[in-house]
Amino acid sequence: MPILSRPATTEFSQYYSRYIDRVPDGDVLGTLEAQQRETQALLRSIPESRADHRYAPGKWSIREVLGHIADTERIFAYRALRVARGDATHLPAFDENAYVENADFGSRPLPALADDVQVVRAATLSLLRPLSDEELGRIGTASDSPISARALAWIIAGHELHHVAILRERYL
């Protein structure tokens, strides 16, 4: 099943190597499932008193990082759905900073944001698990670059790995 294999470099923009390269070889679905458990353990360990912490002026708070993780996974999963279904519509880029600025994550309790990350991951897994080899290999266009549904699964995993590393290194 192609979702298990690392996507070819022709299946995504070089920009996304920064995420895909973080993901260990093997079953990306297994990685996504393990992340769900591991990330939730980390998020549930963060006290509410740290939720508004920023490691530097102008950087997102922990709440905003969690909101960003959930929003970005929603967008990447939506792209995977569109590509897997053969939708040839060019999908636009998105401004992650505008999403965070307009979301008011600061008013949400940290456990609610952790719940959101968990629910989004469950929906992503529900979308990806039944995809056929053909669906996973389809190529669409997002942000003016080719992208496969398989690559999007790997990008989702790598994006979370990227932000969890930043949380551990710079916030906690």
Side-chain angles (χ1 to χ4, degrees), residues 23-62:
V23 181
D25 287 331
D27 176 0
V28 76
L29 287 175
T31 297
L32 290 165
E33 290 167 352
Q35 278 182 318
Q36 187 175 32
R37 292 184 302 275
E38 293 161 10
T39 298
Q40 283 302 308
L42 172 66
L43 301 182
R44 304 292 176 183
S45 75
I46 302 170
E48 188 71 32
S49 62
R50 298 276 300 156
D52 294 317
H53 173 70
R54 298 168 193 272
Y55 70 86
K59 295 297 182 181
W60 294 337
S61 69
I62 292 174

mmCIF file of all heavy atoms in Angstrom, residues 23-62:
data_model
loop_
_atom_site.group_PDB
_atom_site.id
_atom_site.type_symbol
_atom_site.label_atom_id
_atom_site.label_comp_id
_atom_site.label_asym_id
_atom_site.label_seq_id
_atom_site.Cartn_x
_atom_site.Cartn_y
_atom_site.Cartn_z
ATOM 1 N N VAL A 23 9.884 12.366 9.296
ATOM 2 C CA VAL A 23 9.059 11.179 9.548
ATOM 3 C C VAL A 23 9.896 9.917 9.334
ATOM 4 O O VAL A 23 10.544 9.770 8.295
ATOM 5 C CB VAL A 23 7.823 11.167 8.616
ATOM 6 C CG1 VAL A 23 6.938 9.955 8.892
ATOM 7 C CG2 VAL A 23 7.040 12.465 8.765
ATOM 8 N N PRO A 24 9.891 8.999 10.313
ATOM 9 C CA PRO A 24 10.659 7.759 10.137
ATOM 10 C C PRO A 24 10.079 6.903 9.014
ATOM 11 O O PRO A 24 8.872 6.950 8.735
ATOM 12 C CB PRO A 24 10.521 7.061 11.495
ATOM 13 C CG PRO A 24 9.343 7.671 12.146
ATOM 14 C CD PRO A 24 9.174 9.054 11.582
ATOM 15 N N ASP A 25 10.948 6.135 8.371
ATOM 16 C CA ASP A 25 10.482 5.204 7.339
ATOM 17 C C ASP A 25 9.502 4.218 7.952
ATOM 18 O O ASP A 25 9.548 3.939 9.146
ATOM 19 C CB ASP A 25 11.671 4.443 6.744
ATOM 20 C CG ASP A 25 12.523 5.313 5.849
ATOM 21 O OD1 ASP A 25 11.999 6.269 5.247
ATOM 22 O OD2 ASP A 25 13.734 5.033 5.749
ATOM 23 N N GLY A 26 8.631 3.707 7.116
ATOM 24 C CA GLY A 26 7.689 2.697 7.576
ATOM 25 C C GLY A 26 6.253 3.138 7.361
ATOM 26 O O GLY A 26 5.956 3.926 6.474
ATOM 27 N N ASP A 27 5.413 2.635 8.189
ATOM 28 C CA ASP A 27 3.971 2.818 8.113
ATOM 29 C C ASP A 27 3.575 4.200 8.629
ATOM 30 O O ASP A 27 3.555 4.431 9.833
ATOM 31 C CB ASP A 27 3.310 1.724 8.940
ATOM 32 C CG ASP A 27 1.801 1.843 9.025
ATOM 33 O OD1 ASP A 27 1.216 2.773 8.438
ATOM 34 O OD2 ASP A 27 1.205 0.987 9.700
ATOM 35 N N VAL A 28 3.269 5.118 7.720
ATOM 36 C CA VAL A 28 2.926 6.468 8.157
ATOM 37 C C VAL A 28 1.617 6.482 8.954
ATOM 38 O O VAL A 28 1.448 7.315 9.848
ATOM 39 C CB VAL A 28 2.917 7.474 6.983
ATOM 40 C CG1 VAL A 28 1.673 7.330 6.121
ATOM 41 C CG2 VAL A 28 3.057 8.902 7.479
ATOM 42 N N LEU A 29 0.721 5.554 8.668
ATOM 43 C CA LEU A 29 -0.500 5.476 9.480
ATOM 44 C C LEU A 29 -0.157 5.114 10.918
ATOM 45 O O LEU A 29 -0.712 5.680 11.862
ATOM 46 C CB LEU A 29 -1.490 4.468 8.902
ATOM 47 C CG LEU A 29 -2.217 4.890 7.637
ATOM 48 C CD1 LEU A 29 -3.075 3.744 7.116
ATOM 49 C CD2 LEU A 29 -3.044 6.126 7.862
ATOM 50 N N GLY A 30 0.772 4.189 11.090
ATOM 51 C CA GLY A 30 1.229 3.844 12.437
ATOM 52 C C GLY A 30 1.882 5.034 13.117
ATOM 53 O O GLY A 30 1.687 5.257 14.319
ATOM 54 N N THR A 31 2.639 5.806 12.351
ATOM 55 C CA THR A 31 3.257 7.015 12.902
ATOM 56 C C THR A 31 2.189 8.007 13.344
ATOM 57 O O THR A 31 2.265 8.567 14.440
ATOM 58 C CB THR A 31 4.192 7.671 11.865
ATOM 59 O OG1 THR A 31 5.254 6.758 11.562
ATOM 60 C CG2 THR A 31 4.769 8.978 12.368
ATOM 61 N N LEU A 32 1.184 8.214 12.517
ATOM 62 C CA LEU A 32 0.107 9.146 12.862
ATOM 63 C C LEU A 32 -0.642 8.687 14.109
ATOM 64 O O LEU A 32 -1.004 9.499 14.956
ATOM 65 C CB LEU A 32 -0.852 9.308 11.677
ATOM 66 C CG LEU A 32 -0.290 10.059 10.471
ATOM 67 C CD1 LEU A 32 -1.176 9.841 9.242
ATOM 68 C CD2 LEU A 32 -0.146 11.545 10.768
ATOM 69 N N GLU A 33 -0.873 7.375 14.230
ATOM 70 C CA GLU A 33 -1.553 6.846 15.419
ATOM 71 C C GLU A 33 -0.693 7.006 16.665
ATOM 72 O O GLU A 33 -1.192 7.409 17.724
ATOM 73 C CB GLU A 33 -1.915 5.377 15.195
ATOM 74 C CG GLU A 33 -3.016 5.196 14.166
ATOM 75 C CD GLU A 33 -3.174 3.763 13.689
ATOM 76 O OE1 GLU A 33 -2.329 2.899 14.033
ATOM 77 O OE2 GLU A 33 -4.139 3.513 12.947
ATOM 78 N N ALA A 34 0.590 6.707 16.545
ATOM 79 C CA ALA A 34 1.491 6.856 17.693
ATOM 80 C C ALA A 34 1.600 8.311 18.107
ATOM 81 O O ALA A 34 1.608 8.627 19.302
ATOM 82 C CB ALA A 34 2.872 6.286 17.358
ATOM 83 N N GLN A 35 1.669 9.188 17.129
ATOM 84 C CA GLN A 35 1.729 10.626 17.434
ATOM 85 C C GLN A 35 0.514 11.055 18.233
ATOM 86 O O GLN A 35 0.635 11.879 19.137
ATOM 87 C CB GLN A 35 1.748 11.452 16.145
ATOM 88 C CG GLN A 35 3.059 11.583 15.489
ATOM 89 C CD GLN A 35 2.939 12.461 14.262
ATOM 90 O OE1 GLN A 35 1.992 12.367 13.491
ATOM 91 N NE2 GLN A 35 3.919 13.319 14.079
ATOM 92 N N GLN A 36 -0.630 10.535 17.869
ATOM 93 C CA GLN A 36 -1.852 10.935 18.563
ATOM 94 C C GLN A 36 -1.707 10.654 20.059
ATOM 95 O O GLN A 36 -2.018 11.508 20.883
ATOM 96 C CB GLN A 36 -3.058 10.203 17.978
ATOM 97 C CG GLN A 36 -4.373 10.689 18.536
ATOM 98 C CD GLN A 36 -5.558 10.033 17.844
ATOM 99 O OE1 GLN A 36 -5.481 8.891 17.409
ATOM 100 N NE2 GLN A 36 -6.652 10.750 17.754
ATOM 101 N N ARG A 37 -1.203 9.483 20.400
ATOM 102 C CA ARG A 37 -1.013 9.129 21.820
ATOM 103 C C ARG A 37 0.096 9.973 22.456
ATOM 104 O O ARG A 37 -0.074 10.527 23.543
ATOM 105 C CB ARG A 37 -0.678 7.644 21.954
ATOM 106 C CG ARG A 37 -1.814 6.701 21.602
ATOM 107 C CD ARG A 37 -1.446 5.248 21.838
ATOM 108 N NE ARG A 37 -0.278 4.805 21.090
ATOM 109 C CZ ARG A 37 -0.304 4.368 19.824
ATOM 110 N NH1 ARG A 37 -1.449 4.339 19.158
ATOM 111 N NH2 ARG A 37 0.802 3.957 19.234
ATOM 112 N N GLU A 38 1.235 10.058 21.784
ATOM 113 C CA GLU A 38 2.394 10.755 22.349
ATOM 114 C C GLU A 38 2.147 12.259 22.487
ATOM 115 O O GLU A 38 2.490 12.859 23.510
ATOM 116 C CB GLU A 38 3.621 10.495 21.477
ATOM 117 C CG GLU A 38 4.072 9.053 21.506
ATOM 118 C CD GLU A 38 4.962 8.671 20.337
ATOM 119 O OE1 GLU A 38 5.408 9.556 19.565
ATOM 120 O OE2 GLU A 38 5.227 7.454 20.188
ATOM 121 N N THR A 39 1.553 12.849 21.465
ATOM 122 C CA THR A 39 1.289 14.294 21.521
ATOM 123 C C THR A 39 0.254 14.600 22.583
ATOM 124 O O THR A 39 0.392 15.574 23.324
ATOM 125 C CB THR A 39 0.849 14.818 20.143
ATOM 126 O OG1 THR A 39 1.915 14.594 19.207
ATOM 127 C CG2 THR A 39 0.533 16.301 20.183
ATOM 128 N N GLN A 40 -0.758 13.769 22.702
ATOM 129 C CA GLN A 40 -1.764 14.006 23.729
ATOM 130 C C GLN A 40 -1.148 13.916 25.123
ATOM 131 O O GLN A 40 -1.470 14.723 25.997
ATOM 132 C CB GLN A 40 -2.941 13.043 23.588
ATOM 133 C CG GLN A 40 -3.893 13.415 22.479
ATOM 134 C CD GLN A 40 -4.481 14.798 22.647
ATOM 135 O OE1 GLN A 40 -5.029 15.150 23.697
ATOM 136 N NE2 GLN A 40 -4.358 15.630 21.617
ATOM 137 N N ALA A 41 -0.253 12.974 25.344
ATOM 138 C CA ALA A 41 0.414 12.872 26.650
ATOM 139 C C ALA A 41 1.188 14.154 26.942
ATOM 140 O O ALA A 41 1.129 14.685 28.056
ATOM 141 C CB ALA A 41 1.334 11.665 26.684
ATOM 142 N N LEU A 42 1.889 14.672 25.938
ATOM 143 C CA LEU A 42 2.627 15.920 26.128
ATOM 144 C C LEU A 42 1.670 17.074 26.402
ATOM 145 O O LEU A 42 1.855 17.829 27.364
ATOM 146 C CB LEU A 42 3.474 16.235 24.888
ATOM 147 C CG LEU A 42 4.147 17.611 24.889
ATOM 148 C CD1 LEU A 42 5.204 17.692 25.988
ATOM 149 C CD2 LEU A 42 4.735 17.909 23.521
ATOM 150 N N LEU A 43 0.648 17.220 25.580
ATOM 151 C CA LEU A 43 -0.275 18.357 25.728
ATOM 152 C C LEU A 43 -1.001 18.323 27.062
ATOM 153 O O LEU A 43 -1.200 19.366 27.688
ATOM 154 C CB LEU A 43 -1.277 18.381 24.576
ATOM 155 C CG LEU A 43 -0.695 18.497 23.165
ATOM 156 C CD1 LEU A 43 -1.809 18.567 22.135
ATOM 157 C CD2 LEU A 43 0.255 19.671 23.049
ATOM 158 N N ARG A 44 -1.372 17.139 27.519
ATOM 159 C CA ARG A 44 -2.094 17.012 28.790
ATOM 160 C C ARG A 44 -1.177 17.290 29.983
ATOM 161 O O ARG A 44 -1.658 17.549 31.076
ATOM 162 C CB ARG A 44 -2.722 15.631 28.928
ATOM 163 C CG ARG A 44 -3.661 15.236 27.798
ATOM 164 C CD ARG A 44 -4.909 16.021 27.737
ATOM 165 N NE ARG A 44 -5.694 15.615 26.564
ATOM 166 C CZ ARG A 44 -6.826 16.164 26.213
ATOM 167 N NH1 ARG A 44 -7.353 17.138 26.928
ATOM 168 N NH2 ARG A 44 -7.457 15.767 25.146
ATOM 169 N N SER A 45 0.139 17.262 29.755
ATOM 170 C CA SER A 45 1.078 17.526 30.842
ATOM 171 C C SER A 45 1.380 19.023 31.014
ATOM 172 O O SER A 45 2.002 19.408 32.002
ATOM 173 C CB SER A 45 2.390 16.773 30.600
ATOM 174 O OG SER A 45 3.157 17.402 29.578
ATOM 175 N N ILE A 46 0.951 19.833 30.087
ATOM 176 C CA ILE A 46 1.242 21.270 30.155
ATOM 177 C C ILE A 46 0.215 21.942 31.062
ATOM 178 O O ILE A 46 -0.988 21.865 30.800
ATOM 179 C CB ILE A 46 1.207 21.920 28.759
ATOM 180 C CG1 ILE A 46 2.213 21.239 27.827
ATOM 181 C CG2 ILE A 46 1.489 23.425 28.850
ATOM 182 C CD1 ILE A 46 2.078 21.649 26.359
ATOM 183 N N PRO A 47 0.663 22.603 32.111
ATOM 184 C CA PRO A 47 -0.298 23.280 32.993
ATOM 185 C C PRO A 47 -0.913 24.507 32.310
ATOM 186 O O PRO A 47 -0.249 25.178 31.506
ATOM 187 C CB PRO A 47 0.545 23.679 34.199
ATOM 188 C CG PRO A 47 1.950 23.677 33.744
ATOM 189 C CD PRO A 47 2.041 22.737 32.580
ATOM 190 N N GLU A 48 -2.137 24.761 32.648
ATOM 191 C CA GLU A 48 -2.851 25.932 32.102
ATOM 192 C C GLU A 48 -2.057 27.214 32.346
ATOM 193 O O GLU A 48 -2.081 28.132 31.524
ATOM 194 C CB GLU A 48 -4.252 26.021 32.724
ATOM 195 C CG GLU A 48 -5.150 27.062 32.101
ATOM 196 C CD GLU A 48 -5.638 26.717 30.699
ATOM 197 O OE1 GLU A 48 -5.818 25.523 30.392
ATOM 198 O OE2 GLU A 48 -5.858 27.658 29.911
ATOM 199 N N SER A 49 -1.324 27.270 33.439
ATOM 200 C CA SER A 49 -0.539 28.466 33.766
ATOM 201 C C SER A 49 0.552 28.758 32.737
ATOM 202 O O SER A 49 1.053 29.876 32.665
ATOM 203 C CB SER A 49 0.087 28.330 35.153
ATOM 204 O OG SER A 49 0.979 27.224 35.176
ATOM 205 N N ARG A 50 0.923 27.759 31.916
ATOM 206 C CA ARG A 50 1.954 27.938 30.875
ATOM 207 C C ARG A 50 1.346 28.189 29.498
ATOM 208 O O ARG A 50 2.081 28.458 28.535
ATOM 209 C CB ARG A 50 2.840 26.694 30.781
ATOM 210 C CG ARG A 50 3.605 26.350 32.005
ATOM 211 C CD ARG A 50 4.901 27.086 32.158
ATOM 212 N NE ARG A 50 5.803 26.831 31.035
ATOM 213 C CZ ARG A 50 6.766 27.657 30.670
ATOM 214 N NH1 ARG A 50 6.975 28.760 31.322
ATOM 215 N NH2 ARG A 50 7.544 27.369 29.648
ATOM 216 N N ALA A 51 0.050 28.112 29.365
ATOM 217 C CA ALA A 51 -0.618 28.137 28.064
ATOM 218 C C ALA A 51 -0.360 29.403 27.255
ATOM 219 O O ALA A 51 -0.354 29.368 26.025
ATOM 220 C CB ALA A 51 -2.116 27.926 28.231
ATOM 221 N N ASP A 52 -0.150 30.529 27.918
ATOM 222 C CA ASP A 52 0.081 31.782 27.203
ATOM 223 C C ASP A 52 1.563 32.104 27.035
ATOM 224 O O ASP A 52 1.917 33.177 26.534
ATOM 225 C CB ASP A 52 -0.636 32.935 27.913
ATOM 226 C CG ASP A 52 -2.148 32.761 27.836
ATOM 227 O OD1 ASP A 52 -2.655 32.395 26.760
ATOM 228 O OD2 ASP A 52 -2.824 32.974 28.866
ATOM 229 N N HIS A 53 2.413 31.178 27.433
ATOM 230 C CA HIS A 53 3.862 31.395 27.329
ATOM 231 C C HIS A 53 4.288 31.498 25.866
ATOM 232 O O HIS A 53 3.849 30.738 25.012
ATOM 233 C CB HIS A 53 4.618 30.250 27.999
ATOM 234 C CG HIS A 53 6.097 30.317 27.790
ATOM 235 N ND1 HIS A 53 6.887 31.277 28.383
ATOM 236 C CD2 HIS A 53 6.925 29.555 27.028
ATOM 237 C CE1 HIS A 53 8.140 31.106 27.993
ATOM 238 N NE2 HIS A 53 8.181 30.064 27.177
ATOM 239 N N ARG A 54 5.172 32.473 25.609
ATOM 240 C CA ARG A 54 5.818 32.649 24.311
ATOM 241 C C ARG A 54 7.317 32.609 24.569
ATOM 242 O O ARG A 54 7.792 33.252 25.491
ATOM 243 C CB ARG A 54 5.439 34.003 23.703
ATOM 244 C CG ARG A 54 3.956 34.150 23.443
ATOM 245 C CD ARG A 54 3.596 35.619 23.130
ATOM 246 N NE ARG A 54 2.161 35.795 23.193
ATOM 247 C CZ ARG A 54 1.327 35.597 22.169
ATOM 248 N NH1 ARG A 54 1.802 35.232 21.002
ATOM 249 N NH2 ARG A 54 0.036 35.774 22.313
ATOM 250 N N TYR A 55 8.059 31.888 23.763
ATOM 251 C CA TYR A 55 9.496 31.781 24.025
ATOM 252 C C TYR A 55 10.263 33.020 23.597
ATOM 253 O O TYR A 55 11.412 33.199 23.978
ATOM 254 C CB TYR A 55 10.092 30.515 23.413
ATOM 255 C CG TYR A 55 10.175 30.501 21.898
ATOM 256 C CD1 TYR A 55 11.268 31.049 21.231
ATOM 257 C CD2 TYR A 55 9.175 29.905 21.138
ATOM 258 C CE1 TYR A 55 11.352 31.023 19.861
ATOM 259 C CE2 TYR A 55 9.259 29.873 19.772
ATOM 260 C CZ TYR A 55 10.347 30.433 19.130
ATOM 261 O OH TYR A 55 10.434 30.403 17.762
ATOM 262 N N ALA A 56 9.605 33.902 22.828
ATOM 263 C CA ALA A 56 10.220 35.173 22.424
ATOM 264 C C ALA A 56 9.101 36.121 22.024
ATOM 265 O O ALA A 56 8.001 35.686 21.638
ATOM 266 C CB ALA A 56 11.185 34.955 21.263
ATOM 267 N N PRO A 57 9.363 37.423 22.098
ATOM 268 C CA PRO A 57 8.347 38.392 21.669
ATOM 269 C C PRO A 57 7.960 38.154 20.200
ATOM 270 O O PRO A 57 8.808 37.855 19.360
ATOM 271 C CB PRO A 57 9.044 39.745 21.829
ATOM 272 C CG PRO A 57 10.131 39.501 22.823
ATOM 273 C CD PRO A 57 10.568 38.087 22.610
ATOM 274 N N GLY A 58 6.666 38.243 19.935
ATOM 275 C CA GLY A 58 6.175 38.059 18.577
ATOM 276 C C GLY A 58 5.958 36.614 18.166
ATOM 277 O O GLY A 58 5.459 36.350 17.073
ATOM 278 N N LYS A 59 6.333 35.666 19.028
ATOM 279 C CA LYS A 59 6.112 34.250 18.726
ATOM 280 C C LYS A 59 4.757 33.826 19.269
ATOM 281 O O LYS A 59 4.202 34.443 20.163
ATOM 282 C CB LYS A 59 7.226 33.387 19.336
ATOM 283 C CG LYS A 59 8.587 33.653 18.733
ATOM 284 C CD LYS A 59 8.609 33.317 17.263
ATOM 285 C CE LYS A 59 9.962 33.523 16.642
ATOM 286 N NZ LYS A 59 9.965 33.207 15.208
ATOM 287 N N TRP A 60 4.226 32.755 18.713
ATOM 288 C CA TRP A 60 2.932 32.260 19.154
ATOM 289 C C TRP A 60 3.014 31.739 20.581
ATOM 290 O O TRP A 60 4.037 31.235 21.022
ATOM 291 C CB TRP A 60 2.449 31.132 18.258
ATOM 292 C CG TRP A 60 2.150 31.538 16.846
ATOM 293 C CD1 TRP A 60 1.848 32.787 16.379
ATOM 294 C CD2 TRP A 60 2.103 30.672 15.719
ATOM 295 N NE1 TRP A 60 1.614 32.748 15.034
ATOM 296 C CE2 TRP A 60 1.766 31.451 14.591
ATOM 297 C CE3 TRP A 60 2.308 29.318 15.533
ATOM 298 C CZ2 TRP A 60 1.623 30.924 13.316
ATOM 299 C CZ3 TRP A 60 2.177 28.789 14.258
ATOM 300 C CH2 TRP A 60 1.834 29.581 13.169
ATOM 301 N N SER A 61 1.881 31.816 21.276
ATOM 302 C CA SER A 61 1.766 31.186 22.593
ATOM 303 C C SER A 61 1.569 29.681 22.398
ATOM 304 O O SER A 61 1.297 29.210 21.287
ATOM 305 C CB SER A 61 0.564 31.760 23.345
ATOM 306 O OG SER A 61 -0.642 31.332 22.724
ATOM 307 N N ILE A 62 1.668 28.939 23.485
ATOM 308 C CA ILE A 62 1.412 27.496 23.409
ATOM 309 C C ILE A 62 0.000 27.247 22.897
ATOM 310 O O ILE A 62 -0.211 26.376 22.045
ATOM 311 C CB ILE A 62 1.654 26.819 24.783
ATOM 312 C CG1 ILE A 62 3.151 26.863 25.116
ATOM 313 C CG2 ILE A 62 1.129 25.387 24.787
ATOM 314 C CD1 ILE A 62 3.500 26.358 26.501
#
